Every structure is written in C-alpha cells, then in structure tokens.
Amino acid sequence: MSNMMRDSQIMAQTKDENLGYMSDMALELAQMADDSGLATLAYLFRMAALEASTANTVLAERADAPRQITSH
C-alpha cells in the first residue's frame, strides 16, 4: 500500500472519529439546553448532531466505494 493511500485512510478515520465525537457532544448540549428550557437552542444542537452523523455516514459510504486516485 502506498503512503498516500495509507495517509488518506488515516485522515478519513480521524475525520470519522471527530464527526462521531461532534455528534455526541451536540446531543449532550441539546439535552442541557432542553433541561434549561432553551428549546430553540436544543433544536439547533440536534440539527448539528444530525448534520455530523449524516456527514459521518456519507464518509463511510465513500470509504467503501472504489477509490479513484487523481493527481492534483
């Protein structure tokens, strides 16, 4: 395996972990906002969590797809 492919896999894995973490944090913040009676803020955090988990799923699907190596 070439260094470039290995590096891109490591970067994708790191991004994957970061998005999972962001989604979890946003859900925790949404719960805290709910507990404080801040419904609008809770809604925004839930949308952020959804966005992060959706991006995470798209990344996972891309990782499963055959990679095309392009030179930039």
Side-chain angles (χ1 to χ4, degrees):
M1 184 183 332
S2 74
N3 278 349
M4 196 170 84
M5 281 180 64
R6 192 184 69 230
D7 289 350
S8 70
Q9 282 182 332
I10 291 169
M11 282 170 35
Q13 185 178 350
T14 301
K15 196 177 284 187
D16 196 46
E17 289 167 5
N18 287 344
L19 285 168
Y21 174 75
M22 284 168 58
S23 181
D24 291 346
M25 281 306 289
L27 287 174
E28 281 186 42
L29 289 167
Q31 187 59 56
M32 290 167 68
D34 254 348
D35 294 345
S36 304
L38 303 169
T40 304
L41 190 58
Y43 172 80
L44 290 173
F45 280 126
R46 284 202 177 85
M47 290 300 102
L50 180 63
E51 193 72 31
S53 64
T54 302
N56 210 359
T57 304
V58 169
L59 264 182
E61 286 171 4
R62 279 201 201 136
D64 291 342
R67 291 188 188 274
Q68 288 186 334
I69 299 176
T70 56
S71 59
H72 292 288

